[in-house]
Amino acid sequence: SELHNTKSSPFEWIDGPLLQAVKEGHWCLLDELNLATQPVLEGLNSLLDHRKMLYIPELDKEFHVS
């Protein structure tokens, strides 16, 4: 996790199941993905195609599948 401070309030980033799986090289089951919003699906494109990379805009970081 990472701590981010802003003028309004500090918050702590906690990795979700997908990012944990990417970082640790584990599988992650994405059930009912057809119900995901278009922005979520677009965000997953780079993870599921040849790039094998997940970009998290809130952290401004790329995470590559290990």
Side-chain angles (χ1 to χ4, degrees), residues 42-58:
E42 290 172 7
L44 290 173
N45 279 341
S46 63
L47 179 63
L48 301 174
D49 68 12
H50 67 278
R51 293 172 282 179
K52 297 181 181 177
M53 178 269 303
L54 181 65
Y55 175 69
I56 305 294
E58 292 83 359

Side-chain angles (χ1 to χ4, degrees), residues 30-43:
L30 303 174
D31 192 23
E32 298 188 9
L33 196 54
N34 58 313
L35 300 177
T37 62
Q38 190 63 31
V40 169
L41 295 174
E42 290 172 7

Side-chain angles (χ1 to χ4, degrees), residues 1-27:
S1 65
E2 298 183 22
L3 185 63
H4 294 270
N5 289 307
T6 63
K7 290 181 181 179
S8 59
S9 69
F11 71 92
E12 182 180 3
W13 175 268
I14 299 174
D15 296 343
L18 178 61
L19 186 53
Q20 285 178 340
V22 168
K23 286 180 167 182
E24 297 171 9
H26 295 155
W27 287 76

